Amino acid sequence: ENETNKPEWAMTLKSDSLQFFSGIRAIFQDSKGNYWLGSHNEGVSFYNGKSFEYFTTNEGLADNQIRSNQEDKNGKIWFGTAKGISVYDNGKFTNYPSKNNNPIFNWNETNGDLWFYAWEEDGINRFDGINMNYLIFPKSKNTDANNAYGVTDISRDKDGKVWIATYAALFNYDGKMVNMFDKEKLNLKDNERLHIRSVLADSKGRIWIGNNGIGVLLMEGNTIINFSEKHHLIHPTSKRNGNKSEPGTLEHPFAIEEDSEGNIWFGDLYTVAWKYDGKTMTNYNTIDKNLKSQMIWTIYKDNANNLLFGMAEGGVYKFNGKSFDKIF
């Protein structure tokens, strides 16, 4: 095959440094230590510690926007994309649609530990090892036309319960029951709108819920508080919606992660990174002053307990205890 006739981008399927220019939406380190970096619209990059290799729809990916990334017990790597689910095994992709035409209402008829978004729909995908099952949320009538039950985040707690964030409600499933936490159950005020972007079940059993516009909700046992409000991180004049927020606030948490010391980290759309050590909130309002956008798409703890930040402008940064170093 004559390489010179290929377009220029096709010749850079391997590179020494990461060649992504859109945001890093998903970071994952597999059991062999390789990193898989999912981009906003350029597919996946695989880093083996030496060079970066690239996979796009040309190589068989379902779509070039990557929203999630995980590994199954057989070492296959799974990607949730904007248009379906892709699994990578020995150089080959197999794809599943965003949802199938056989919706299942009784979740207990299915099993499996692999969960995937089903996009702006009414359910979630669960893979049982053979079939991709499309499970429907047991939901009340949605009264807010702007808020869908599209899944935005998934977290598993220490007891194995799955927590599923959708824009309009939070769900959990313990293998027997599916519970729904809507606006009322989450103690929202009349003028507040539920618009969940992130959820984290932490090592202490707390559930952190990131809401675009009204900040962080914290569920401990049967108690639910607005954590941002409690820490005076919602501006007095805030409209509590998607509008740009003031510096020093935590009103738009798109990413939540726990570090190896038990600190909880938040990535805010406008005010960058926050760390909560159990008492104090610390704001890091710059990841890299050379970036035009400081927005964080994702926060990920890798196998060596490094805390990694995937940026909307591309690039992955590591927290070094004081500031952030670019690593990819």
Side-chain angles (χ1 to χ4, degrees):
E1 204 175 342
N2 186 350
E3 286 288 333
T4 51
N5 293 340
K6 283 194 177 178
E8 200 172 314
W9 56 262
M11 298 168 75
T12 55
L13 286 175
K14 273 196 176 168
S15 60
D16 294 336
S17 61
L18 182 64
Q19 300 295 316
F20 274 159
F21 302 96
S22 61
I24 306 293
R25 287 189 66 152
I27 302 170
F28 180 71
Q29 189 178 24
D30 67 23
S31 53
K32 298 184 181 80
N34 305 304
Y35 288 93
W36 299 83
L37 308 172
S39 74
H40 185 51
N41 58 30
E42 298 166 280
V44 173
S45 182
F46 166 80
Y47 181 63
N48 59 7
K50 298 188 185 78
S51 65
F52 295 86
E53 204 173 325
Y54 300 90
F55 301 102
T56 65
T57 49
N58 295 334
E59 282 71 48
L61 255 182
D63 189 75
N64 286 335
Q65 183 175 107
I66 308 298
R67 299 186 182 180
S68 68
N69 199 340
Q70 56 191 312
E71 181 176 12
D72 69 18
K73 58 184 188 294
N74 302 316
K76 296 177 185 176
I77 308 294
W78 292 79
F79 304 96
T81 82
K83 290 182 187 148
I85 299 149
S86 295
V87 55
Y88 181 79
D89 181 28
N90 286 329
K92 180 169 148 282
F93 285 99
T94 306
N95 296 326
Y96 298 84
S98 307
K99 59 169 188 159
N100 63 33
N101 297 324
N102 178 28
I104 295 170
F105 290 86
N106 179 1
W107 294 27
N108 298 340
E109 291 172 5
T110 65
N111 58 58
D113 292 331
L114 293 171
W115 298 83
F116 302 94
Y117 313 161
W119 298 269
E120 310 306 309
E121 297 295 343
D122 292 332
I124 187 165
N125 289 298
R126 183 187 199 183
F127 187 69
D128 64 12
I130 299 165
N131 298 307
M132 188 67 69
N133 296 297
Y134 177 46
L135 310 181
I136 299 295
F137 293 125
K139 58 199 181 298
S140 48
K141 182 88 183 80
N142 185 9
T143 51
D144 183 348
N146 299 320
N147 247 7
Y149 290 98
V151 175
T152 52
D153 204 7
I154 301 167
S155 185
R156 204 174 266 118
D157 70 20
K158 52 187 186 24
D159 304 322
K161 195 182 287 180
V162 180
W163 292 83
I164 302 160
T166 79
Y167 294 113
L170 177 72
F171 296 89
N172 73 26
Y173 177 61
D174 60 6
K176 295 189 187 79
M177 279 284 297
V178 188
N179 298 296
M180 173 177 176
F181 299 85
D182 56 10
K183 181 175 167 166
E184 206 174 310
K185 274 202 184 155
L186 293 172
N187 294 340
L188 265 62
K189 303 180 184 77
D190 284 347
N191 66 333
E192 293 180 328
R193 181 168 148 227
L194 205 55
H195 196 77
I196 307 176
R197 291 302 305 240
S198 49
V199 63
L200 172 75
D202 75 9
S203 61
K204 297 182 178 72
R206 300 173 297 189
I207 308 300
W208 301 88
I209 307 156
N211 282 264
N212 193 15
I214 56 171
V216 176
L217 304 179
L218 171 58
M219 191 189 295
E220 289 191 80
N222 295 323
T223 333
I224 295 166
I225 61 160
N226 186 317
F227 177 86
S228 291
E229 200 161 55
K230 188 186 167 207
H231 287 266
H232 311 292
L233 298 177
I234 295 183
H235 198 269
T237 62
S238 172
K239 298 262 192 301
R240 296 183 182 238
N241 58 20
N243 290 7
K244 185 166 183 182
S245 46
E246 300 292 324
T249 59
L250 178 52
E251 298 175 10
H252 303 86
F254 273 49
I256 310 178
E257 180 62 285
E258 181 175 11
D259 71 16
S260 56
E261 288 156 24
N263 302 307
I264 307 296
W265 287 78
F266 308 95
D268 185 277
L269 183 55
Y270 300 110
T271 61
V272 201
W274 289 85
K275 180 180 87 173
Y276 178 60
D277 64 6
K279 294 193 180 85
T280 314
M281 289 289 280
T282 307
N283 185 204
Y284 300 87
N285 61 10
T286 311
I287 300 287
D288 179 346
K289 60 184 191 309
N290 298 317
L291 293 176
K292 287 195 275 298
S293 161
Q294 302 293 323
M295 181 193 159
I296 297 161
W297 259 121
T298 184
I299 309 173
Y300 176 76
K301 184 175 73 178
D302 75 6
N303 301 347
N305 288 330
N306 296 307
L307 203 65
L308 306 182
F309 294 75
M311 305 303 290
E313 214 172 281
V316 176
Y317 289 75
K318 179 173 97 176
F319 183 64
N320 63 23
K322 291 199 179 95
S323 60
F324 304 85
D325 302 319
K326 186 169 187 182
I327 59 161
F328 303 137

